[in-house]
């Protein structure tokens, strides 16, 4: 739909870069207008031996017109992380603003641009993985169509604009039916496959906005993984 509104030509007339960008724009457009959301999260950290530790947190997200979204994550348990909080102000261009509150030290630590690739509270998610994924954060290239778990998907390569990103590129599978991200492969500074993020159990809210129930990030270098299980989604709560 969008491809034709961008250029009154068949998709074959678009360059791979134009087609990749058009897919990203359409995916973002379909999520515009949710306003705000709240949800509960269960974070399951698994080491390479299969040992698990579980944390519980709450997250609030505020949609910001003409810029990236804002979010606040607060840990509730266990006791050793209770009260730890992260505030993120994402931006379409420039460096995202992120602050981490550490209750044991009673201080706020700003996450510097050079530390965006660092681990968020020991998980396999980096700070940069937790900001809203605005179109402007990447340049794009459409690779091909591919089936993933029986779904017809676009396979798009995207390259972070931020020079301090821990990634050189990411390969993203986006389903054709609803333009939902199904999987992302992250490549590190040495061009090696570092991590894979898989989205499962999508559910539609307010008749329009799709959210995955489970996000699983696997680190191929360490053998560790982190699973995020989302529950109690509420939208337009007046944040």
């Amino acid at each position: 739909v969008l491809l034709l509104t961008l250029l009154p030509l068949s998709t074959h007339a678009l360059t791979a870069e134009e087609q990749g960008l058009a897919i990203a724009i359409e995916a973002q457009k379909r999520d515009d207008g949710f306003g705000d959301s709240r949800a509960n999260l269960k974070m399951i950290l698994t080491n390479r031996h299969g040992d698990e530790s579980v944390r519980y947190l709450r997250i609030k997200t505020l949609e910001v017109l003409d810029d990236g979204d804002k979010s606040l994550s607060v840990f509730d348990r266990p006791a050793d992380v209770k009260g730890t909080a992260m505030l993120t102000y994402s931006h379409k261009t420039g460096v995202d603003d992120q602050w981490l509150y550490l209750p044991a030290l009673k201080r706020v630590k700003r996450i510097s641009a050079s530390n965006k690739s660092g681990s968020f509270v020991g998980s396999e998610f980096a700070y940069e993985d937790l900001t809203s994924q605005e179109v402007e954060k990447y340049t794009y290239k459409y690779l091909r169509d591919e089936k993933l778990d029986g779904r017809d998907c676009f396979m798009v390569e995207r390259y972070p604009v931020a020079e301090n990103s821990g990634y050189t590129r990411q390969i993203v599978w986006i389903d054709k039916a609803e333009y939902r991200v199904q999987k992302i492969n992250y490549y590190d500074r040495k061009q090696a496959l570092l991590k894979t993020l898989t989205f499962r159990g999508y559910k539609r809210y307010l008749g329009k906005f799709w959210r995955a129930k489970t996000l699983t990030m696997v680190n191929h270098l360490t053998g560790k993984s982190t699973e995020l299980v989302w529950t109690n989604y509420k939208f337009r709560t007046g944040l």
Side-chain angles (χ1 to χ4, degrees):
V1 221
L2 180 80
L3 297 179
L4 298 178
T5 61
L6 282 180
L7 289 172
L9 303 166
S10 74
T11 52
H12 298 294
L14 294 176
T15 66
E17 289 75 16
E18 287 168 338
Q19 197 169 349
L21 175 61
I23 292 165
I25 289 171
E26 177 66 14
Q28 181 165 291
K29 194 176 101 180
R30 291 190 182 211
D31 201 50
D32 284 348
F34 71 88
D36 68 61
S37 67
R38 298 172 188 243
N40 293 344
L41 266 175
K42 179 180 177 183
M43 176 187 278
I44 306 160
L45 293 83
T46 308
N47 68 17
R48 64 189 314 155
H49 306 296
D51 303 321
E52 289 185 357
S53 60
V54 181
R55 296 168 179 172
Y56 296 87
L57 61 151
R58 292 164 284 134
I59 185 163
K60 301 175 183 178
T61 304
L62 178 64
E63 186 177 27
V64 179
L65 297 175
D66 304 322
D67 202 5
D69 297 340
K70 298 178 178 180
S71 68
L72 178 65
S73 307
V74 181
F75 285 85
D76 291 323
R77 53 193 163 104
D80 62 340
V81 294
K82 183 176 180 180
T84 301
M86 188 172 76
L87 178 66
T88 296
Y89 282 19
S90 303
H91 302 298
K92 287 181 181 290
T93 57
V95 180
D96 294 319
D97 292 303
Q98 290 178 298
W99 300 268
L100 191 66
Y101 174 67
L102 302 164
L105 301 175
K106 291 191 168 59
R107 65 180 284 258
V108 173
K109 171 185 162 190
R110 188 182 179 91
I111 307 302
S112 67
S114 58
N115 197 31
K116 298 295 186 188
S117 59
S119 164
F120 173 59
V121 295
S123 75
E124 299 315 304
F125 287 85
Y127 290 104
E128 65 179 300
D129 301 334
L130 301 170
T131 62
S132 63
Q133 302 295 294
E134 308 297 324
V135 168
E136 293 84 353
K137 288 179 185 284
Y138 304 93
T139 56
Y140 301 86
K141 184 180 178 185
Y142 164 76
L143 297 178
R144 61 178 179 270
D145 290 358
E146 187 171 283
K147 268 199 187 299
L148 181 71
D149 298 329
R151 290 188 184 86
D152 289 323
C153 293
F154 300 111
M155 196 173 164
V156 175
E157 196 163 47
R158 64 186 189 187
Y159 315 93
V161 173
E163 53 190 53
N164 286 303
S165 173
Y167 312 117
T168 48
R169 62 193 174 102
Q170 301 170 14
I171 294 179
V172 187
W173 284 259
I174 299 170
D175 72 62
K176 293 184 175 186
E178 299 289 348
Y179 284 77
R180 299 168 299 193
V181 174
Q182 299 290 332
K183 181 172 134 180
I184 305 174
N185 278 346
Y186 299 85
Y187 292 82
D188 66 15
R189 285 288 178 191
K190 297 174 183 171
Q191 296 283 356
L193 176 60
L194 174 63
K195 301 188 297 191
T196 298
L197 177 60
T198 308
F199 299 72
R200 292 191 180 89
Y202 270 106
K203 184 179 171 185
R204 185 159 55 186
Y205 297 86
L206 304 182
K208 180 182 179 186
F209 306 108
W210 291 95
R211 296 291 182 271
K213 180 173 180 60
T214 307
L215 275 64
T216 307
M217 183 76 89
V218 176
N219 188 313
H220 301 290
L221 299 188
T222 64
K224 296 178 180 178
S225 67
T226 300
E227 184 172 75
L228 300 179
V229 182
W230 300 73
T231 54
N232 297 329
Y233 257 118
K234 292 183 174 62
F235 288 83
R236 298 177 183 165
T237 65
L239 294 182

